[in-house]
Amino acid sequence: MFLGHNTDRQHVQALWDCKQRDDKLLDLFAKQLDEVKNLLIAADDTDRILRLQGQASVLRDFLDAVEKSQEVLERRKP
C-alpha cells in the first residue's frame, strides 16, 4: 500500500499534485492496468498469472493512493 502510516507528507502531496494537474501520467497508468487485466484473462500458466496479478496490484494501489491523497493530507494537517 502506498499510503501507509509512515508515508511522508511530501510524498502524499506529490500524489495529490499529480491528481490536481489532471496529469496524463494517471491516464497512462489506468490504460496499463486495463492492458494487464486483459493479459491476465488470457494468461494460461501460473507463473504468468502471478506476475500479472502483481503488476495489476501495484498499478491499482498507485491509482488508489492518488485518489485518496487529499483525504490523507486532510487527516495529517499539523
Side-chain angles (χ1 to χ4, degrees):
M1 173 184 258
F2 282 92
L3 297 177
H5 293 292
N6 59 352
T7 306
D8 290 337
R9 182 174 171 76
Q10 67 187 17
H11 295 135
V12 179
Q13 183 67 52
L15 292 169
W16 172 237
D17 292 345
C18 189
K19 182 178 179 181
Q20 280 187 303
R21 287 193 313 254
D22 189 31
D23 201 71
K24 298 301 177 202
L25 180 63
L26 297 179
D27 290 337
L28 173 66
F29 277 95
K31 287 179 182 176
Q32 185 64 33
L33 177 58
D34 287 340
E35 184 177 319
V36 170
K37 287 179 183 179
N38 290 332
L39 291 171
L40 188 55
I41 291 168
D44 59 358
D45 75 73
T46 304
D47 288 339
R48 179 136 174 89
I49 290 169
L50 293 174
R51 282 194 305 274
L52 290 168
Q53 283 177 331
Q55 288 176 18
S57 178
V58 169
L59 290 165
R60 177 77 282 163
D61 284 350
F62 173 76
L63 292 169
D64 288 346
V66 169
E67 279 300 311
K68 294 176 183 175
S69 59
Q70 181 182 18
E71 176 186 323
V72 172
L73 284 173
E74 290 295 320
R75 283 195 316 246
R76 294 185 183 182
K77 278 191 176 176

